[in-house]
Amino acid sequence: FGSLDAVLERCDEIPKPSIRACVNDNREKALLSRRLVTIDTDVPLDTDLESLRFSGFAGERAVEFMREMEFPSLIDAVKALSPGEAGATAEPETAATVVIPETLDRTLKTLAGENEIAIDIGISSVDPMTADIVGMGFAAGGGEFYFPFGHAEGPNLDREAVFPRLREILSARKKSRLAHDVKFARIVLKRHGFGDVDFSFDTMLAAYVLDPGSRSYDLEVLAEGCLKRSLPSLADLTGTGRGKKTFAELTPEDAARYSGGRARAAADLAAQFAPRMEDGDLMPLYTDLEMPLADVLAEMEMCGVRLDTALLAGMSAELADGLAELEDRIAESAGERFNINSPKQLAVILFEKLGLKPVRKGKTGYSTDIDVLTRLAAKHELPGLILEYRQLAKLKSTYVDALPQMINPETGRVHTSFNQAVTSTGRLSSSNPNLQNIPIRTELGRKIRQAFIAEPGYIILSADYSQIELRIMAHISRDPVLLEAFRKGEDIHSSTASLVFGLLPGLLSPEHRRLAKVINFGVMYGMGAHSLSEQLGITHAEAKRYIDNYFATHRGVRAYIDQTVREAEEKGYVTTLLGRRRYVADILSTNRNVVEFAKRTAINTPIQGSAADLIKKSMIELFRRLKDEGLSSYMILQVHDELVLEVKESELERVKALVKEVMEGAMDLAVPLVVEIGCGSQWLEAH
């Protein structure tokens, strides 16, 4: 009809009765909506258009704004559009000196005379277990030095002659050695004969302790934000894409600018971070937990894990057959064959051909993610088949097929990376490969764990904290009901079920216990009645009644939640038992959804973060005890609340007792810590 006025005037001509009635009944709303979106241009202004013309950025003010808003990628663009303005310096005032044979002795003497040395290693690979040392940058005193060892175009130093002399300097007592990511540096240096370099400061871990919610702890980002200094990125020097160079293909001068600048930045950041951690009472967490843990994780990464490749090969063939069978069943259910991995084609089948009601629409069309398919599975078999197909395909590609390809040719084992500075709660994560996400609740996931085996003469030992987060909740909240249940060794979920549902223990069903388990963990994660009703498949009223019953019998938990939220609002952060902070500034937001999420974060962090700190403390002490007692057994994996060791058969009973002693005594809580230990020739059997 051309316009809204025409639509309203010719409403009787609309052929579909429902649309005709809708338009007719909402005339006033339509007119009001048009009025609300119409820009009123009749506004008196005391300025002219020319004065509003964009004339460039206000240099340093714009750069500071980009830093504050965490837009690091825009900083260079802003600088380019505001020439002549003050901003971050492109690089330190002095460039690193490339060490040549003629200056070697003098440079080594200079390094040996300095009490503090910052190190940056130029490497051939991002994998510390395969990386070769191309060069080493040092910042000491007022100078930066670069030792080239493996550049395609020289001059290079003789590593066999220089490495021992550098090792002597780095291993000297009463010297302070620092780096950005000391775990990585330790592994690379140890593999090249430097032994266990005793690092005293890690700027990455310090930045993480100071602000565990930051999106990046890259040295370039920290230098830009804290030092107002732009370091050249590796991509700036090597390029990208098809013409990308390796680090070894850089000239020693370019490598010196990169590596020497990074070493200097690490030294300057350390000077800032140390007093900030002291002022925030964070130094004990840093020196007693995070720094020692970096040494432990370096050893674990170097140990790696052994795989049964024959088992994985058999699983791969079985999964291929299973996926082929699923493809046939999916085609039969859909009435045609289509690209199962195409969300667009799947959406056409589900919502156009089969007529299922869409759940959610995004920018690219109707969603077919896991949540949507799970909801639709109750209405048609196809969504359930798609979910099963996706799960099998992911496990096959991510683990069954990928793991054998990741075996280190030198060690014959797979070496994951444990990431200390990723999660806001302090938990460790695992990558390349991620060995923490292998599902344990599915038969296939459990079978994958069978492929993690011990070396001949060794046994896999798994030690798992029992209900650790609920025990920490009992300790922090001092809730009498939780304290009594744990002290008596009762089943905590059955105890909760008895109180919430008002039933004697003998009348409880497995379903009652399942519901109580969801409630126990849901309350701890700040779950409300709406989320609980969705998770349990019950009405909102029932979910609210369950939560009310829980708080009526667990008054200490209610008091903990209220007090924690109040403290978060007052301080802007919450802390774990060992003093780790997590900032929750959003708790003062005007957006209700943002505030509710911040509250849930505040409630859960002291519990989940304390559990993370607890197992870290256990790892450090267990590592020390294994070394001190001269045992040949070693830790190989950490998965949330579980530690996995490879234990020499002759040491099994001693190590079992040691693990239990260390883990159960790691913290003095108001309730007993309980560790469950299992052993076997492979991981699943031990778990």
Side-chain angles (χ1 to χ4, degrees), residues 354-670:
L354 298 181
L356 296 176
K357 186 178 179 181
V359 176
R360 185 170 59 253
K361 188 175 184 179
K363 293 181 179 179
T364 57
Y366 291 117
S367 173
T368 58
D369 64 16
I370 184 170
D371 292 333
V372 170
L373 293 179
T374 300
R375 290 191 189 186
L376 296 176
K379 301 175 181 179
H380 196 280
E381 70 167 351
L382 181 58
L385 293 174
I386 297 293
L387 285 172
E388 186 178 354
Y389 180 91
R390 285 182 180 178
Q391 182 188 47
L392 293 187
K394 183 176 180 180
L395 288 176
K396 185 176 186 297
S397 62
T398 305
Y399 295 109
V400 177
D401 292 343
L403 285 175
Q405 305 301 317
M406 303 181 81
I407 293 176
N408 186 297
E410 293 181 12
T411 66
R413 293 164 74 95
V414 169
H415 303 267
T416 186
S417 292
F418 293 103
N419 310 306
Q420 260 178 287
V422 171
T423 69
S424 299
T425 58
R427 277 187 179 272
L428 297 175
S429 68
S430 165
S431 59
N432 301 318
N434 183 349
L435 299 183
Q436 292 187 335
N437 275 6
I438 302 174
I440 190 60
R441 292 185 177 88
T442 66
E443 182 181 350
L444 181 57
R446 289 191 292 271
K447 193 170 181 181
I448 291 174
R449 291 192 176 210
Q450 289 180 331
F452 292 79
I453 59 177
E455 295 286 349
Y458 282 77
I459 297 288
I460 297 293
L461 182 150
S462 169
D464 202 346
Y465 276 115
S466 172
Q467 298 177 328
I468 186 58
E469 292 189 4
L470 287 170
R471 292 175 190 273
I472 290 175
M473 167 66 91
H475 172 80
I476 295 177
S477 69
R478 290 300 200 271
D479 182 82
V481 174
L482 290 179
L483 291 175
E484 183 180 10
F486 279 123
R487 286 168 179 169
K488 288 183 175 180
E490 295 176 356
D491 180 89
I492 194 67
H493 301 310
S494 295
S495 298
T496 299
S498 182
L499 292 168
V500 170
F501 302 117
L503 297 172
L504 294 172
L507 298 177
L508 294 173
S509 67
E511 179 64 11
H512 285 126
R513 186 184 183 279
R514 185 188 74 83
L515 294 174
K517 183 175 181 180
V518 174
I519 294 169
N520 270 330
F521 286 105
V523 166
M524 190 165 57
Y525 284 86
M527 184 184 293
H530 176 73
S531 298
L532 186 63
S533 66
E534 284 193 340
Q535 188 159 340
L536 294 179
I538 58 178
T539 66
H540 186 277
E542 285 178 300
K544 185 178 184 304
R545 186 170 71 252
Y546 290 163
I547 291 177
D548 290 343
N549 288 348
Y550 180 91
F551 284 132
T553 55
H554 295 76
R555 298 184 186 277
V557 175
R558 175 79 272 174
Y560 158 75
I561 290 174
D562 294 341
Q563 180 182 346
T564 302
V565 170
R566 280 197 304 273
E567 289 184 358
E569 290 171 343
E570 293 169 3
K571 298 179 180 179
Y573 63 85
V574 292
T575 59
T576 67
L577 291 174
L578 294 187
R580 185 185 304 278
R581 291 184 181 182
R582 185 174 183 183
Y583 293 91
V584 284
D586 285 345
I587 204 164
L588 299 178
S589 171
T590 56
N591 185 310
R592 182 174 176 274
N593 290 333
V594 171
V595 170
E596 290 304 313
F597 180 79
K599 286 182 178 180
R600 292 194 294 273
T601 298
I603 294 165
N604 175 249
T605 293
I607 300 165
Q608 193 178 86
S610 294
D613 291 346
L614 170 67
I615 200 162
K616 286 180 175 181
K617 195 174 179 184
S618 296
M619 293 168 71
I620 294 166
E621 178 62 14
L622 184 57
F623 180 77
R624 183 186 68 79
R625 292 285 296 275
L626 289 170
K627 294 281 187 184
D628 289 350
E629 298 187 23
L631 297 171
S632 301
S633 305
Y634 41 84
M635 288 181 285
I636 56 174
L637 290 175
Q638 189 270 347
V639 182
H640 306 312
D641 303 326
E642 176 190 9
L643 285 182
V644 182
L645 291 84
E646 202 163 343
V647 180
K648 195 172 183 179
E649 290 179 352
S650 60
E651 299 173 353
L652 181 58
E653 293 307 314
R654 174 64 192 125
V655 173
K656 284 171 66 175
L658 180 60
V659 168
K660 196 168 183 66
E661 174 192 342
V662 168
M663 293 181 70
E664 291 185 347
M667 280 188 187
D668 184 17
L669 300 184

Side-chain angles (χ1 to χ4, degrees), residues 21 81 83 184 308 382 481:
L81 292 172
F184 188 97
D308 185 340
L382 181 58
V481 174

